[in-house]
Amino acid sequence: QQNKQALATKINANVKDIALTTSTTDSMNAILRTLVLIPGDEILIDMHAYISHRHVAEFVSNRGGARLVKVYSPFPIWKKQDYIDAYIDAITPRTRLVILEDICSSHGLEVPIEPIIDYCKSRRIQVLVAGANSFAVRKVDVHRLGANWYVGSCHKWGLAMKGTGFIWAKEDSQNLRPT
């Protein structure tokens, strides 16, 4: 409980909204495998996203007959608006979930996720943020971000031991079920 309280303080969350896991990938699996998708639904993920996150998104999409859309975001990011536009242009009426990394695992650049989250919220599209590379490096305020889920690992930059992942879930997005 003490660890959860320290984590809650770090990300501006309530302890009751946090679950401890073994890693960001474990957290992604816990969330994505609970989604009920139907043929035609879409999940968006950055083509540069961490490979295990892309794999679980692909597995879940295939299982439900949905389509995994890999967003071809510009690299390097010269203008933040180009990155934002790449996501917004990829969103369709069939988009059910957008997966974002706030610091991309493959190139280490901070990406402008806030405008994308705001756009998704205005269209009632769920958002999952993978924060494995940002947690403890920059200020994270999950309430200000407004995503449905924020997942991370404390071992990378938080200097905790391996096996210290977490899920933060917005209150209306806590209906996760074991898989």
Side-chain angles (χ1 to χ4, degrees), residues 115-179:
I116 300 166
I117 294 170
D118 290 343
Y119 185 85
C120 290
K121 284 178 13 184
S122 73
R123 284 154 183 76
R124 297 184 179 176
I125 298 168
Q126 294 181 308
V127 177
L128 167 56
V129 176
N133 295 298
S134 63
F135 175 74
V137 173
R138 67 178 218 168
K139 184 176 171 69
V140 174
D141 183 334
V142 293
H143 291 288
R144 185 184 54 76
L145 274 178
N148 298 79
W149 302 280
Y150 186 94
V151 299
S153 293
C154 303
H155 74 274
K156 287 192 176 188
W157 308 110
L159 305 178
M161 63 185 198
K162 281 201 172 266
T164 53
F166 67 90
I167 299 171
W168 170 83
K170 192 165 67 169
E171 192 168 339
D172 66 357
S173 300
Q174 294 179 4
N175 57 343
L176 303 178
R177 57 180 165 70
T179 58

Side-chain angles (χ1 to χ4, degrees), residues 6-119:
L7 178 60
T9 300
K10 178 74 178 152
I11 64 172
N12 188 30
N14 295 318
V15 172
K16 68 177 182 56
D17 299 331
I18 295 173
L20 299 179
T21 66
T22 60
S23 67
T24 304
T25 300
D26 187 27
S27 300
M28 296 282 287
N29 269 282
I31 294 165
L32 292 175
R33 288 175 182 254
T34 66
L35 296 178
V36 177
L37 299 169
I38 60 172
D41 285 346
E42 296 175 345
I43 295 176
L44 271 61
I45 191 166
D46 194 311
M47 64 179 272
H48 300 292
Y50 189 60
I51 190 133
S52 68
H53 301 170
R54 290 194 319 256
H55 285 169
V56 71
E58 185 172 20
F59 171 80
V60 168
S61 296
N62 289 340
R63 180 184 67 186
R67 188 167 85 102
L68 180 63
V69 178
K70 293 178 185 160
V71 178
Y72 290 90
S73 60
F75 176 77
I77 302 171
W78 297 110
K79 293 189 294 186
K80 289 183 178 185
Q81 192 60 47
D82 291 343
Y83 187 91
I84 296 164
D85 290 345
Y87 262 91
I88 290 174
D89 291 347
I91 291 172
T92 74
R94 300 297 302 198
T95 303
R96 288 270 321 277
L97 175 70
V98 171
I99 300 170
L100 300 165
E101 291 183 340
D102 49 3
I103 294 181
C104 186
S105 64
S106 64
H107 52 63
L109 297 177
E110 185 174 1
V111 295
I113 62 171
E114 290 87 350
I116 300 166
I117 294 170
D118 290 343
Y119 185 85

